[in-house]
Amino acid sequence: MKMLYLVRHGETSWNAEGRFQGATDVGLNANGRRQGALIAERLKGLKVDGIYSSDLGRCRQTAEIIAEKHHMKPAYSQALREICYGRWEGLTREEVKTKYPQEYSTYIENPLGTRIKGAETYYEAQDRVVAEVNKLIEQREVEKLILVMHGAIIRLLVAQFLSIKLEYRNRLDIHNASLQIIRYGDKEPSLTLWNDTSHLNYTLEEGVLDYPPL
């Protein structure tokens, strides 16, 4: 049995402002660091074989907070980065509509078939993250891994593992510092937890103490 614990990074200022982040390196804001501490508290009793993270700052910071509880160092990978949104990065949706109206209109009509200038497609992003995670899973000694990644990239990974069509990816709601769990056994992967943010209802003073073992 192998288990993947998928964590979306904590909040950034661009998350709070509704900006496309993609491959731009944006760090956590104060609330994001608080969220990171709470998800770390949630996961601290979990015995894991490794902690892997996107190499972008918001994931690195979240992973480091989690790893400190396990007396481990995260490993970082470009292959776990968020999908690149090219020239849209740093803009809100309204700003994109104003600045690139034709490109935005084409994207809305056919997001899977549209390449934003300077960006990658959803299929390209899915291929790279699935290949990287499969490589990690195939390590014989690995049973439990924490992966700290981005919202869109987690959706693409889970869509592949659960045979969900990419046009339905946005039906998978995912919040900052949420926990997802995928279990691998003799059969196909199964999703046992999705978008769990119940740990964020605590304060750092209270800790996250009454959860059953993961």
Side-chain angles (χ1 to χ4, degrees):
M1 182 71 68
K2 298 195 176 189
M3 306 288 288
L4 294 181
Y5 300 85
L6 310 178
V7 176
R8 186 184 177 196
H9 62 80
E11 184 184 74
T12 72
S13 60
W14 282 16
N15 286 139
E17 295 166 6
R19 299 185 182 278
F20 287 94
Q21 292 187 114
T24 302
D25 202 353
V26 185
L28 300 178
N29 62 16
N31 187 45
R33 292 190 290 274
R34 180 191 70 85
Q35 291 173 336
L38 287 169
I39 185 67
E41 186 74 18
R42 172 81 180 274
L43 296 171
K44 71 177 182 179
L46 184 65
K47 293 183 179 181
V48 297
D49 302 301
I51 300 173
Y52 293 84
S53 170
S54 158
D55 66 341
L56 296 179
R58 54 198 185 271
C59 284
R60 291 177 66 102
Q61 291 174 296
T62 305
E64 287 164 4
I65 296 168
I66 294 170
E68 185 177 1
K69 295 285 187 179
H70 295 268
H71 306 289
M72 300 173 73
K73 290 186 177 180
Y76 304 107
S77 171
Q78 288 188 13
L80 301 181
R81 284 185 176 189
E82 181 63 296
I83 182 173
C84 177
Y85 287 107
R87 62 183 181 178
W88 289 14
E89 293 184 8
L91 303 177
T92 65
R93 190 170 291 269
E94 287 304 315
E95 288 169 341
V96 170
K97 285 182 186 178
T98 300
K99 195 169 186 179
Y100 308 113
Q102 185 56 54
E103 189 175 59
Y104 182 79
S105 177
T106 302
Y107 172 82
I108 292 300
E109 291 176 6
N110 182 19
L112 299 181
T114 300
R115 183 187 295 276
I116 299 162
K117 187 173 182 179
E120 63 184 330
T121 68
Y122 287 102
Y123 292 110
E124 289 168 344
Q126 186 180 55
D127 285 346
R128 67 169 162 82
V129 69
V130 169
E132 180 72 2
V133 173
N134 279 336
K135 184 170 66 176
L136 297 175
I137 294 169
E138 288 165 4
Q139 299 176 67
R140 183 182 301 178
E141 69 277 10
V142 165
E143 291 186 1
K144 294 182 179 181
L145 294 177
I146 294 174
L147 303 180
V148 183
M149 299 186 293
H150 307 265
I153 217 70
I154 291 175
R155 287 191 187 100
L156 296 177
L157 178 68
V158 170
Q160 173 69 25
F161 286 162
L162 301 185
S163 299
I164 297 172
K165 293 181 179 180
L166 283 193
E167 51 261 49
Y168 302 141
R169 70 197 180 285
N170 288 335
R171 296 182 183 180
L172 298 171
D173 204 11
I174 182 168
H175 296 145
N176 288 112
S178 60
L179 176 63
Q180 289 64 221
I181 302 177
I182 295 180
R183 174 165 40 204
Y184 286 77
D186 296 331
K187 299 180 180 180
E188 295 180 344
S190 61
L191 185 67
T192 65
L193 190 69
W194 179 260
N195 198 30
D196 186 350
T197 58
S198 52
H199 44 277
L200 301 183
N201 295 326
Y202 291 75
T203 67
L204 296 177
E205 291 73 24
E206 292 172 329
V208 185
L209 305 176
D210 60 348
Y211 282 96
L214 291 168

